[in-house]
Each structure stands twice: as structure tokens, then as C-alpha cells.
């Protein structure tokens, strides 16, 4: 039980500290510590709680899976992870949600690439990662860790809409009006060649990396 306690404490701390420091506590902390001081505390707390969560995951006893995992489910999660990788790669290009100087101008543009799929491609890439890992590792420890990532990503994305409206006003309203929260809610869309190629390469590298990390073959490498 010690492992589960550590895992749960780390998960609650990781998610809770992100929400607290990104929203209600950000302004008073920046006022007291300055922007650089706030960023330092944010990083330290995030790393500490993430480390606690990972260590708890390692120490938690491996429970029996809640459902059988066969090749069919592996194939489904492989496709989900490919989509997640494409969304993540595309989110790094022209994303008005990122803290960049021209974010407001980017929000006034016509959405392209992965933003025609969802306005929160990075957050959904994390959520899809969590969903896929629960599907193929339906154990208590996996559900706690991956579930924390899913909650952080999707609740964080919704909270980000409100935060960006406060920061950008009409520019973010324009971006919201021309994008969707849920992927493909506006129909199928091509993510763009850069996202497709970059995401596919990331997916292949991440799938292969499971082998030297000792967690078993994943993705297409499972069938090679």
C-alpha cells in the first residue's frame, strides 16, 4: 500500500499544483516572487510531485488487469498514439495558446494544420497518451498515473480557454469560434505535412524506445 499512497499523493500533488499555480495562485506568486522566481518554484514543485508520482508507480504492487489485452486492443492504441504524436508535433507550430510574443496575432489567423482538428492539440496528445496506456495496461497503478495526466490535460485545456480570453479578449474568441475543443468535432481535417511527418517520426522513435527502456515492444515494433 505504501506504493499506492505515494503514487496517489504524487498524482494529486502534480495535478493540483499545476491547476493552483497556473490559475488562482499565479498572480499573487508572481507579485511576491517575480516572474523568474515564480517560474523556478513552478518547475521545482512540478518536478518534485512528478518524481513522487513516478516513484510511487514503480513501488506500487502490480494488480491484475481489469480486462484482457490482445492484439486488437494493441492495434487500436497504436493508432491512438500515432494521432497523439501528430497532434503534439503540430501543436509546436503557430500555437496561440503558447506563451509567445505573437500569440494574439496567431489567434486572429484562420486555423490551419492540427488546429483544424482541435484548438488544444498538445493537451489532447497528453490525454490520448493516458487513454491508450490505460487501455493496454488496465491496472490500478496505470489508471492512477495515466488518469492524472488525462485530468490535467483536459481540465487544464478547458481552464486555458478562460485564461486566454482574459489575456487576449476578442482574439481568443475569434480562435474559439473557428476551432473545436473535441478533436474532429468540425469534421475530418488534414493535420498538415509538417505535423504528419514530424508526428510519425516521433511515434516511431517513442515506440522503439520502449524496447531499450525494458518495458516491452510497443506500436508497430510489437509485430516485428
Amino acid at each position: 500500500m505504501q506504493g499506492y499512497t505515494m503514487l496517489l499523493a504524487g498524482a494529486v500533488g502534480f495535478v493540483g499544483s499545476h491547476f493552483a499555480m497556473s490559475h488562482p495562485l499565479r498572480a499573487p506568486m508572481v507579485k511576491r516572487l517575480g516572474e523568474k522566481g515564480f517560474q523556478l518554484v513552478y518547475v521545482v514543485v512540478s518536478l518534485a510531485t512528478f518524481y513522487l508520482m513516478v516513484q510511487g508507480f514503480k513501488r506500487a504492487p502490480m494488480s491484475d488487469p481489469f480486462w484482457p489485452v490482445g492484439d486488437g486492443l494493441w492495434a487500436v492504441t497504436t493508432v491512438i498514439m500515432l494521432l497523439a504524436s501528430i497532434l503534439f508535433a503540430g501543436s509546436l507550430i503557430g500555437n496561440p495558446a503558447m506563451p509567445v510574443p505573437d500569440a494574439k496575432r496567431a489567434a486572429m489567423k484562420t486555423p490551419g494544420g492540427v488546429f483544424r482538428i482541435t484548438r488544444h492539440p498538445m493537451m489532447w496528445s497528453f490525454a490520448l497518451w493516458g487513454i491508450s496506456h490505460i487501455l493496454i495496461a488496465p491496472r490500478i497503478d496505470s489508471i492512477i498515473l495515466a488518469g492524472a495526466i488525462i485530468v490535467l490535460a483536459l481540465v487544464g485545456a478547458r481552464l486555458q480557454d478562460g485564461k486566454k480570453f482574459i489575456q487576449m479578449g476578442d482574439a481568443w474568441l475569434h480562435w474559439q469560434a473557428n476551432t473545436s475543443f473535441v478533436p474532429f468535432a468540425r469534421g475530418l481535417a488534414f493535420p498538415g505535412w509538417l505535423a504528419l511527418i514530424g508526428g510519425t517520426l516521433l511515434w516511431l522513435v517513442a515506440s522503439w524506445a520502449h524496447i531499450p527502456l525494458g518495458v516491452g515492444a510497443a506500436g508497430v515494433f510489437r509485430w516485428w
Side-chain angles (χ1 to χ4, degrees), residues 193-213:
W193 287 109
L194 283 176
L196 182 61
I197 295 172
T200 301
L201 290 175
L202 173 62
W203 171 69
L204 288 171
V205 171
S207 297
W208 171 85
H210 284 69
I211 300 173
L213 288 174

Side-chain angles (χ1 to χ4, degrees), residues 140-153:
I140 296 174
D141 55 346
S142 298
I143 291 173
I144 294 174
L145 188 146
I149 301 300
I150 294 170
V151 171
L152 179 61

Side-chain angles (χ1 to χ4, degrees), residues 14-136:
F14 184 70
V15 174
S17 63
H18 269 75
F19 287 158
M21 292 190 292
S22 295
H23 299 281
L25 296 183
R26 181 182 177 89
M29 288 181 68
V30 169
K31 183 177 181 180
R32 186 175 183 85
L33 303 173
E35 185 64 37
K36 290 185 177 180
F38 166 76
Q39 291 175 358
L40 178 61
V41 172
Y42 189 98
V43 170
V44 170
V45 172
S46 298
L47 289 176
T49 52
F50 184 75
Y51 177 81
L52 182 65
M53 183 167 61
V54 171
Q55 290 302 310
F57 179 81
K58 290 180 178 180
R59 299 182 186 186
M62 189 174 294
S63 65
D64 293 331
F66 291 105
W67 55 79
V69 179
D71 285 344
L73 199 51
W74 269 99
V76 170
T77 57
T78 296
V79 174
I80 292 175
M81 280 308 304
L82 174 59
L83 173 59
S85 299
I86 292 171
L87 289 177
F88 181 81
S91 73
L92 303 176
I93 307 169
N95 189 347
M98 300 281 277
V100 292
D102 60 344
K104 192 171 183 178
R105 184 171 59 184
M108 292 301 295
K109 294 181 179 179
T110 300
V114 295
F115 302 103
R116 291 184 294 175
I117 299 175
T118 171
R119 66 175 167 274
H120 294 292
M122 183 177 289
M123 296 297 205
W124 272 102
S125 72
F126 296 147
L128 291 174
W129 177 91
I131 292 169
S132 67
H133 283 73
I134 288 176
L135 287 175
I136 58 173

Side-chain angles (χ1 to χ4, degrees), residues 157-215:
R158 182 59 75 186
L159 292 173
Q160 190 179 72
D161 281 336
K163 179 180 177 180
K164 292 300 178 181
F165 169 67
I166 293 173
Q167 294 176 345
M168 300 185 190
D170 290 343
W172 190 259
L173 286 181
H174 173 270
W175 187 251
Q176 261 190 281
N178 290 280
T179 55
S180 66
F181 183 87
V182 178
F184 301 112
R186 288 174 170 263
L188 296 177
F190 182 63
W193 287 109
L194 283 176
L196 182 61
I197 295 172
T200 301
L201 290 175
L202 173 62
W203 171 69
L204 288 171
V205 171
S207 297
W208 171 85
H210 284 69
I211 300 173
L213 288 174
V215 293

